[in-house]
């Protein structure tokens, strides 16, 4: 034997002994230990007590353990004191660092995981036994990508994959075998937004995606995208339109949202259609995402004439002042005309413009459940106390 790990050592009432009896044929037998020791040494078949200024040695299972003058030990030449055998906290340090959650479970501190896979395996088994004895429920184990070699060890001990991100993988373990797991599942939905941007000429901002299925090649569509982590629906819609087209917008309302299932990676999908007011006209194409933006030739020609009349040489980017497709032309596209859901969306948008429909606007409120501000989306048709609260009476164009 060349070394002894912390997980192989147990401290009982101040007496240190090797906790791997099961791996040897000879059982332990009690030997009186000298009280002059700084800390009680090892009980074994051939243990010899000694004062702190002498050395003692005994043979155990073919390995030689020597007590040194500095209250340490050496086994086959390996200094065991460097492994903190002389601390009464050895047993505690043989467990993984973890803290309780509010649901009767534990969360392993991923910042204090052992770097040695063998130490991790031993500490994980000891920790599971300790948590089971204490009646704990679920275990959350976050393993950073730098320690990915620990993943198969945890899986072998019964942990299951929960989710993975760029920098880590999250594993879980449900301890009570007689109870069904109450741990929450991974996120079940992805959230997308579409920006329905109308200008005062009743033209809608549309794009063609560069990478798309052959069935929708050439289709003019709304700017769309996914909400980022910790991002609001309204700010995500504004951001996506800005990133794809360069057009600055102001969020107006959530007109409607669609709920679909088994979309990407078999997840459900929430797609929010947002009406936005344009704050700028110039479209700057994102070459990575957008193939083209609808050009109104007449308006571009007028803009070129204006530039020449000002005797200002037309810059290429300035000449490409892209505008919006007329709403009537947009809905006449074959794929749009044959889509009952999108046809209804257009009808809703037109009803909003004529004040026959009211969408949902975000209102920042604080809940006493968590004490944090969040957005509650609702509409106010009529408020006798404060008419300004009614977003239904607000003109879409300002």
């Amino acid at each position: 034997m060349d070394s002894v790990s912390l997980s192989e050592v147990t401290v009982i009432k101040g007496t240190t002994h090797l906790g791997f009896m099961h791996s040897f044929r000879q059982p332990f037998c009690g030997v009186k230990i000298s009280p002059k020791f700084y800390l009680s040494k090892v009980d074994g078949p051939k243990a010899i007590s000694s004062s702190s200024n002498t050395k003692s040695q005994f043979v155990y299972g073919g390995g030689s353990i020597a007590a040194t003058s500095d209250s340490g030990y050496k086994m086959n030449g390996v200094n065991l004191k460097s492994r903190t055998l002389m601390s009464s906290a050895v047993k505690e340090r043989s467990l993984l660092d973890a803290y309780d959650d509010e649901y009767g479970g534990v969360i392993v501190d991923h910042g204090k995981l052992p770097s040695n896979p063998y130490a991790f395996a031993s500490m994980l088994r000891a920790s599971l036994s300790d948590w089971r004895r204490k009646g704990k429920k679920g275990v959350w184990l976050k393993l950073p990508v730098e320690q990915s070699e620990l993943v198969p060890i945890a899986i072998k001990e019964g942990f299951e994959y929960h989710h993975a991100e760029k920098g880590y993988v999250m594993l879980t373990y449900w301890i009570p075998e007689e109870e069904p797991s109450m741990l929450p599942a991974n996120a079940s939905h992805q959230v997308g937004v579409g920006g329905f941007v109308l200008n005062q000429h009743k033209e809608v901002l549309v794009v063609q995606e560069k990478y798309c299925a052959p069935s929708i090649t050439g289709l003019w569509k709304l700017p769309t995208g996914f909400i980022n982590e910790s991002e609001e629906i309204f700010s995500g819609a504004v951001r996506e339109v800005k990133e794809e087209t360069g057009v600055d917008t102001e969020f107006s309302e959530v007109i409607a949202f669609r709920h679909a299932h088994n979309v990407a990676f078999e997840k459900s999908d929430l797609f929010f259609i947002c009406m936005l007011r344009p704050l700028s006209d110039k479209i700057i194409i994102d070459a990575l995402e957008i193939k083209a933006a609808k050009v109104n030739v007449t308006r571009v020609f007028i803009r070129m004439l204006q530039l020449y009349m000002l005797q200002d040489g037309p810059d290429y980017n300035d000449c490409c002042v892209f505008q919006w497709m007329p709403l009537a032309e947009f809905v006449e596209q074959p794929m749009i005309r044959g889509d009952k859901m999108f046809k209804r969306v257009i009808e809703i948008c037109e009803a909003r413009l004529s004040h026959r429909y009211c969408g949902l606007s975000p209102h920042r409120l604080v809940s006493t459940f968590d004490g944090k501000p969040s957005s509650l989306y609702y509409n106010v048709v009529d408020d006798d106390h404060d008419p300004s609260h009614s977003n239904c009476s607000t003109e879409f164009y300002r």
Side-chain angles (χ1 to χ4, degrees), residues 21-32:
M21 297 180 291
H22 59 279
S23 62
F24 296 91
R25 295 181 179 179
Q26 279 189 310
F28 278 95
C29 59
V31 177
K32 184 176 181 181

Side-chain angles (χ1 to χ4, degrees), residues 282-302:
K282 186 174 181 179
I283 300 176
I284 303 174
I285 300 175
D286 184 344
L288 294 178
E289 294 189 19
I290 306 302
K291 181 179 179 181
K294 180 64 176 178
V295 181
N296 187 311
V297 179
T298 302
R299 292 181 181 276
V300 173
F301 181 70
I302 293 174

Side-chain angles (χ1 to χ4, degrees), residues 13 44 51 80 93 128 130 160 261 297 393:
K13 297 182 179 178
S51 62
L80 300 185
R93 283 200 294 271
L128 286 173
D130 182 68
E160 297 180 347
H261 306 285
V297 179
S393 60

